[in-house]
């Protein structure tokens, strides 16, 4: 495909001894407005620093991101369809190629990521998609393969909320927790094992009665649950580095099995703790709450 190259940016984020990340903007929807390119570039720096602090490691030394911007929605839709049904109905998608070194220790050597979307004219919507996909790209450079809930949960937490996807409104943190607390109260959260093992967006749609945004919110809360608690996050990272994860063809199922076998008390206790976390966060982030000693704002 003929490449309409808009920009190549070498981001030297990681110190002089490490290779820079290469970022390209290409496709018929380029050039993008300067402020969009600047925002994405700045957010990439932030995401790399956030992932580095969270995962306590360096990204793959060879790390490239190509943002392929299609001219219009129709051109993008044809392309999304050609990549398989997984990306139909979403505003952007990310595909990565990873190369691993296996000896003497297993580590990521290179990650090439291709982000695709179209030249949405509303800048906020375009940015929301680009930043969500950027979060996927950066996390892939740090940890490689991840289960679906982890993939979307980390992008929802670390990237900007994906306002433009599925036409759902931007949710702030308190809305997210209230949504989950309501689902919990009504008994409408799907069984945790089934949700964590879900391999596809189609399965998410089925589990949440067609409202895929709820699956993103549940994933966000699970990633939040782990990342806000150091011991829990160490547990998650230990699994990412483990043999069962390496050997697994079905990553989603493998993670549920690992959680059930290694979490103190198994999946049943994990579920109790996650539900308690949802209720506590919904209360703590509730607007207008009359918390004693709180800021007292309306
Ligand atoms: Zn995503």
């Amino acid at each position: 495909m003929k490449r309409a190259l808009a920009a190549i940016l070498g981001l030297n984020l990681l110190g002089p001894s490490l290779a820079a990340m290469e970022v390209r903007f290409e496709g018929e929807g380029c050039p993008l407005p300067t402020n969009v390119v600047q925002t994405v570039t700045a957010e990439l720096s932030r995401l790399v620093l956030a992932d580095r602090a969270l995962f306590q490691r360096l990204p793959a030394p060879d790390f490239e991101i190509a943002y392929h911007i299609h001219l219009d929605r129709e051109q993008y839709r044809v392309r999304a369809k050609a990549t398989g049904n997984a990306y139909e109905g979403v505003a952007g998608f990310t595909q990565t190629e990873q190369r691993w070194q296996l000896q003497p220790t297993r580590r990521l050597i290179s990650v090439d990521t291709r982000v695709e979307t179209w030249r949405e004219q509303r800048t906020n919507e375009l940015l929301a998609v680009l930043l969500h996909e950027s979060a996927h790209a950066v996390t892939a450079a740090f940890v490689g393969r991840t289960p679906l809930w982890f993939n979307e949960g980390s992008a929802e937490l670390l990237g900007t909320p994906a306002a433009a996807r599925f036409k759902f409104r931007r949710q702030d943190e308190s809305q997210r927790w209230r949504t989950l607390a309501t689902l919990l109260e009504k008994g409408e959260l799907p069984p945790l094992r089934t949700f964590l093992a879900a391999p596809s967006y189609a399965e998410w749609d089925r589990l949440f009665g067609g409202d895929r945004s709820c699956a993103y919110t549940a994933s966000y809360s699970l990633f939040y649950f782990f990342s806000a608690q150091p011991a829990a996050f160490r547990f998650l990272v230990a699994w990412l580095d483990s043999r069962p994860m390496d050997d697994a063809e079905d990553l989603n199922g493998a993670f549920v099995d690992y959680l059930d076998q290694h979490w103190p008390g198994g999946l049943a206790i994990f579920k109790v703790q996650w539900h308690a976390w949802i209720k506590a966060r919904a209360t703590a982030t509730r607007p207008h709450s009359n918390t004693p000693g709180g800021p007292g704002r309306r």
Side-chain angles (χ1 to χ4, degrees):
M1 182 183 292
K2 186 166 175 286
R3 182 183 286 171
L5 197 60
I8 294 180
L9 304 163
L11 293 182
N12 192 6
L13 298 163
L14 304 165
S17 61
L18 292 158
M21 164 168 52
E22 185 182 313
V23 182
R24 295 195 308 273
F25 293 89
E26 62 191 32
E28 292 174 43
C30 286
L32 294 175
T34 306
N35 63 340
V36 170
V37 172
Q38 284 173 344
T39 303
V40 171
T41 308
E43 283 292 301
L44 282 172
S45 302
R46 182 186 65 77
L47 285 164
V48 167
L49 293 174
D51 273 21
R52 197 176 164 177
L54 203 50
F55 294 109
Q56 296 283 304
R57 63 181 66 177
L58 296 171
D62 183 357
F63 175 23
E64 291 182 27
I65 304 178
Y67 293 92
H68 193 96
I69 314 297
H70 295 280
L71 186 61
D72 55 30
R73 187 175 192 137
E74 179 56 19
Q75 197 184 71
Y76 164 82
R77 197 191 62 77
V78 169
R79 166 72 186 155
K81 192 167 183 178
T83 60
N85 288 330
Y87 302 117
E88 279 203 272
V90 300
F93 63 88
T94 296
Q95 293 179 309
T96 67
E97 275 180 35
Q98 303 167 6
R99 280 200 309 128
W100 291 83
Q101 169 193 287
L102 297 177
Q103 299 293 338
T105 51
R106 178 179 169 275
R107 70 183 185 103
L108 265 173
I109 300 169
S110 75
V111 176
D112 288 354
T113 297
R114 182 180 165 98
V115 171
E116 298 198 36
T117 186
W118 76 92
R119 179 65 174 87
E120 164 68 58
Q121 296 301 317
R122 291 163 296 181
T123 302
N124 282 352
E125 307 256 327
L126 177 62
L127 270 176
V129 174
L130 290 175
L131 299 185
H132 177 93
E133 302 304 332
S134 298
H136 282 314
V138 172
T139 298
F142 278 85
V143 293
R145 299 195 306 158
T146 57
L148 183 60
W149 73 266
F150 181 116
N151 195 33
E152 294 303 347
S154 59
E156 287 291 290
L157 184 66
L158 302 171
T160 298
R165 302 168 77 87
F166 320 114
K167 301 186 183 71
F168 62 82
R169 288 198 307 275
R170 181 185 298 270
Q171 286 188 309
D172 66 17
E173 191 189 350
S174 65
Q175 281 176 310
R176 287 174 190 261
W177 294 110
R178 267 182 291 148
T179 297
L180 289 170
T182 303
L183 288 171
L184 182 58
E185 272 167 31
K186 291 183 177 173
E188 291 177 359
L189 282 178
L192 183 58
R193 174 176 282 278
T194 311
F195 177 63
L196 288 173
S200 65
Y201 300 106
E203 179 70 359
W204 276 8
D205 289 344
R206 194 182 69 74
L207 290 174
F208 284 93
D211 188 353
R212 197 183 299 178
S213 71
C214 289
Y216 277 76
T217 303
S219 299
Y220 162 92
S221 76
L222 283 161
F223 194 80
Y224 194 118
F225 177 87
F226 281 107
S227 59
Q229 304 180 93
F233 203 74
R234 280 195 298 276
F235 176 95
L236 186 58
V237 170
W239 175 71
L240 289 170
D241 294 335
S242 72
R243 192 62 197 267
M245 145 92 189
D246 261 359
D247 292 344
E249 278 184 33
D250 170 17
L251 269 190
N252 305 288
F255 176 72
V256 182
D257 290 342
Y258 181 88
L259 190 61
D260 199 17
Q261 287 160 19
H262 296 279
W263 189 264
L267 195 60
I269 294 299
F270 180 88
K271 187 178 95 170
V272 169
Q273 292 169 341
W274 177 50
H275 287 182
W277 187 266
I278 289 172
K279 288 178 192 161
R281 293 305 302 159
T283 304
T285 60
R286 182 184 295 151
H288 316 302
S289 65
N290 295 317
T291 313
R297 292 192 46 178
R298 286 134 346 257

